[in-house]
Amino acid sequence: MKLLLPSFISAAIDDDGFLFRGLHWLEGDEDVLLVLWKMWVEVRRAVVAPVLRFVTFSCMIMSVMLVLEFVWMGAVSLGVKLLRRRPEKRYKWEVFKEQDEDVELGTLVYPMVLVQIPMFNEKEVYKLSIGAACGLEWPPDRIIIQVLDDSTDPIIKALVELECKAWASKGRNINYEVRNNRKGYKAGALREGMGYSYVNQCDFVAIFDADFQPDPNFLLRAMPFLVNNPKIALVQARWDFVNIDECLMTRIQKMSLDYHFKVEQEAGSSAFAFFGFNGTAGIWRIAAINEVGGWKDRTTVEDMDLAVRASLKGWEFLYVGDLKVKSELPCNFKTYRHQQHRWTCGPANLFRKMAKDIVKAKEVSLWKKFYMVYSFFFVRKIISPIVTFFLYSVVIPASVMVPEVSIPTWVVVYIPTTISLLNAIRNPRSIHLMPLWILFENVMSMHRMKSMMIGLFEVGSVNEWVVTEKLGDALNANPEIHLLEKPPNKFRERLNFSELGFAVFLLFAASYDLAFGLNLYCIYIFLQAIAFLVVGFGMVGKHVSNS
């Protein structure tokens, strides 16, 4: 049965008839298909195209904001390197020397330091972290080790307590502290830890997560900055990683974290004396913590919360890039995804809670306020996940099916190339992994955008806290449980349905562009679809069996 074309869509045949001509091999239903196609054309022109144009224009603006942020931060960090503005040159730094001529002083020249190690069921790494803390080169009578154990496994708690007793028998001033609940998670543990009477002896507190292993000279190198510069509240060290080559996912993580430390933290420290505390591998002045109200558990980034509040009181922070502390990267994808949810959701939620406080603060300059609100929070924590996901995984694939919308070449090619190159120059040894880094980061941007929205609008799993699983020496000690780049045995356990669902959309868009498009976007879209499929089928990272 032949159908007549409605008059209101007949005018569109010349512009979009190419697709219908592509279906000439169908017989009998040509008119039905053509009618459906013309109806889609009208809806596309009246509704889809205007919406996509608006989203595209918004992404273009956000892309410019993002690339300018990358260029500016990169220029600042590069300037610091070229001018050799080492922290020791910008701030007073002197080696501690015991006063041998004055017997009464002796080791009193060294300030009292509290070392906190918060942990939760850390069976694989508790010995490493406690041993590293107890091995710090500092007078034994001037340091207190505090293990804050929130473990729920009684066996692990017994092991940790036994380890603390073993070090106490060797003369270390170590205290094993537990709570009867996990209220506030890490922030709650740190807050309660600061309430013990013996903490009143201390002027500074060094914090190390359970998988962090500081070198013996850590305090000797970091403490002079705090002792000789009373305005500094925090000295942050750089993270180093013991399992970079564990799998491809850990190598990609290192590339992202290298940019964070080498560029973002360095630039923030050098230009504004402000950056987000990384939650570990840092030393705080206890007076600064007390002045701003101590640890708060209102978000999942208690470290950043404390840093922002301290900065608004006029305290300065210092990042020491050549002071490194060993740690572990998550090598399981779902563990990594939980970590990224916390790292993305928390800052967005904190921005929601503190934006007004930053604007109203009286003890910081207008320039610093602008940096904190616009650069630190808005561009990096809000804009970045939005534009990365929508532009590269939604707008570009959707545009191939909506010819009324065109994306300028500078948005599709020049801006991502610039951002990639700025990252690549910080990772010259990993430059061959840049294409994989881009594809993987685009996959993760879907989760980061969702987490950012949850935090910004304070809904759903905004306060979700899943402790990052650590393996420590387990894989080296038991190589038989090593399943290199292989997923769990149960097929359902390995599936990530959100990635698989999005891969279907990308495959359709790439196939459409290959068959009927006028550009070569299909090459990129097919590659991105493969990346979503690889992650969707659980073929990324490692899995360690429970047996």
Side-chain angles (χ1 to χ4, degrees), residues 52 56 394-407 519 521:
L52 189 57
T56 301
V394 176
V395 172
I396 292 177
S399 68
V400 303
M401 297 179 285
V402 185
E404 294 84 359
V405 177
S406 61
I407 307 175
N519 51 52
Y521 289 169

Side-chain angles (χ1 to χ4, degrees), residues 279-445:
T280 179
I283 308 177
W284 275 92
R285 189 183 300 272
I286 292 179
I289 296 178
N290 293 335
E291 181 183 350
V292 300
W295 295 99
K296 294 186 177 181
D297 57 9
R298 55 182 175 172
T299 71
T300 57
V301 284
E302 74 294 325
D303 44 12
M304 187 181 294
D305 187 344
L306 179 63
V308 172
R309 285 184 283 121
S311 182
L312 295 184
K313 287 294 185 179
W315 290 100
E316 297 180 358
F317 306 154
L318 175 63
Y319 168 72
V320 185
D322 61 354
L323 179 60
K324 301 178 182 180
V325 179
K326 299 173 184 176
S327 62
E328 181 181 322
L329 291 166
C331 58
N332 176 274
F333 176 72
K334 291 189 177 179
T335 298
Y336 178 64
R337 192 171 63 187
H338 284 304
Q339 181 199 70
Q340 292 302 299
H341 170 78
R342 190 172 74 247
W343 287 6
T344 308
C345 177
N349 190 230
L350 183 62
F351 180 58
R352 172 193 175 99
K353 295 179 184 298
M354 293 211 65
K356 290 182 180 179
D357 293 337
I358 297 173
V359 173
K360 294 179 180 179
K362 297 180 180 179
E363 298 183 43
V364 294
S365 66
L366 183 63
W367 179 235
K368 192 170 185 177
K369 290 181 186 180
F370 175 79
Y371 169 75
M372 293 175 70
V373 173
Y374 174 79
S375 180
F376 182 79
F377 275 112
F378 187 62
V379 175
R380 286 188 240 162
K381 313 302 181 185
I382 307 298
I383 293 299
S384 180
I386 292 177
V387 70
T388 305
F389 175 68
F390 273 106
L391 179 58
Y392 303 118
S393 296
V394 176
V395 172
I396 292 177
S399 68
V400 303
M401 297 179 285
V402 185
E404 294 84 359
V405 177
S406 61
I407 307 175
T409 303
W410 60 270
V411 176
V412 179
V413 179
Y414 300 149
I415 283 184
T417 300
T418 300
I419 293 175
S420 299
L421 289 175
L422 288 173
N423 192 287
I425 61 177
R426 297 290 176 176
N427 299 277
R429 295 181 180 179
S430 303
I431 195 168
H432 62 289
L433 296 176
M434 284 306 297
L436 298 178
W437 174 79
I438 293 170
L439 295 174
F440 183 73
E441 285 295 297
N442 287 350
V443 174
M444 288 304 303
S445 70

Side-chain angles (χ1 to χ4, degrees), residues 44-58 395 405:
R44 190 183 72 198
R45 289 178 173 176
V47 180
V48 178
V51 172
L52 189 57
R53 284 196 193 98
F54 173 77
V55 175
T56 301
F57 181 72
S58 300
V395 172
V405 177

Side-chain angles (χ1 to χ4, degrees), residues 14 19 69 74 206 209 239 246 335 338 370 426 510:
D14 291 336
L19 180 59
E69 174 72 9
D209 282 352
W239 297 0
E246 196 70 35
T335 298
H338 284 304
F370 175 79
R426 297 290 176 176

Side-chain angles (χ1 to χ4, degrees), residues 42-96:
E42 287 300 311
V43 172
R44 190 183 72 198
R45 289 178 173 176
V47 180
V48 178
V51 172
L52 189 57
R53 284 196 193 98
F54 173 77
V55 175
T56 301
F57 181 72
S58 300
C59 286
M60 289 167 60
I61 294 176
M62 290 187 288
S63 294
V64 173
M65 295 167 64
L66 192 60
V67 75
L68 289 177
E69 174 72 9
F70 266 80
V71 171
W72 181 77
M73 296 293 285
V76 172
S77 62
L78 182 61
V80 171
K81 185 175 182 179
L82 292 177
L83 297 175
R84 297 181 179 180
R85 297 187 68 230
R86 292 171 54 84
E88 291 83 357
K89 292 185 177 180
R90 299 187 345 247
Y91 293 93
K92 185 178 179 181
W93 190 93
E94 294 180 356
V95 177
F96 287 109

Side-chain angles (χ1 to χ4, degrees), residues 80-282:
V80 171
K81 185 175 182 179
L82 292 177
L83 297 175
R84 297 181 179 180
R85 297 187 68 230
R86 292 171 54 84
E88 291 83 357
K89 292 185 177 180
R90 299 187 345 247
Y91 293 93
K92 185 178 179 181
W93 190 93
E94 294 180 356
V95 177
F96 287 109
K97 294 181 180 178
E98 293 188 26
Q99 305 298 317
D100 295 330
E101 66 278 5
D102 192 337
V103 179
E104 292 184 1
L105 281 179
T107 59
L108 293 180
V109 68
Y110 294 86
M112 281 292 293
V113 178
L114 174 70
V115 178
Q116 289 184 319
I117 310 174
M119 57 177 58
F120 175 75
N121 293 337
E122 309 287 2
K123 180 181 178 181
E124 305 296 346
V125 295
Y126 74 92
K127 281 190 176 183
L128 297 174
S129 57
I130 294 174
C134 291
L136 289 168
E137 295 174 354
W138 203 254
D141 60 328
R142 308 300 293 167
I143 186 172
I144 301 174
I145 312 296
Q146 185 185 65
V147 178
L148 303 169
D149 190 8
D150 274 1
S151 299
T152 54
D153 187 325
I155 296 177
I156 297 177
K157 291 178 71 173
L159 290 172
V160 176
E161 184 177 13
L162 187 63
E163 183 71 10
C164 292
K165 289 181 177 179
W167 280 102
S169 67
K170 298 177 183 178
R172 287 296 180 180
N173 187 352
I174 185 168
N175 295 268
Y176 177 70
E177 311 291 359
V178 297
R179 301 189 293 166
N180 56 12
N181 62 72
R182 291 195 67 213
K183 186 179 184 300
Y185 302 107
K186 180 180 175 181
L190 293 172
R191 181 173 58 238
E192 187 163 318
M194 296 297 292
Y196 290 96
S197 58
Y198 57 81
V199 175
N200 295 330
Q201 307 172 50
C202 304
D203 299 312
F204 304 95
V205 55
I207 302 171
F208 300 102
D209 282 352
D211 60 316
F212 278 72
Q213 307 164 49
D215 288 337
N217 65 350
F218 177 86
L219 293 178
L220 293 174
R221 294 188 59 190
M223 284 300 302
F225 291 111
L226 289 159
V227 171
N228 295 300
N229 302 276
K231 289 186 178 181
I232 295 180
L234 165 69
V235 172
Q236 173 72 61
R238 179 179 164 188
W239 297 0
D240 201 9
F241 308 107
V242 298
N243 63 334
I244 296 171
D245 297 321
E246 196 70 35
C247 61
L248 180 60
M249 194 179 79
T250 53
R251 289 193 286 271
I252 290 176
Q253 287 178 67
K254 181 183 181 297
M255 295 170 66
S256 298
L257 288 170
D258 273 354
Y259 177 83
H260 169 68
F261 283 108
K262 292 180 181 179
V263 178
E264 293 178 339
Q265 299 294 73
E266 184 67 75
S269 175
S270 303
F272 301 97
F274 168 77
F275 49 83
F277 174 43
N278 293 118
T280 179

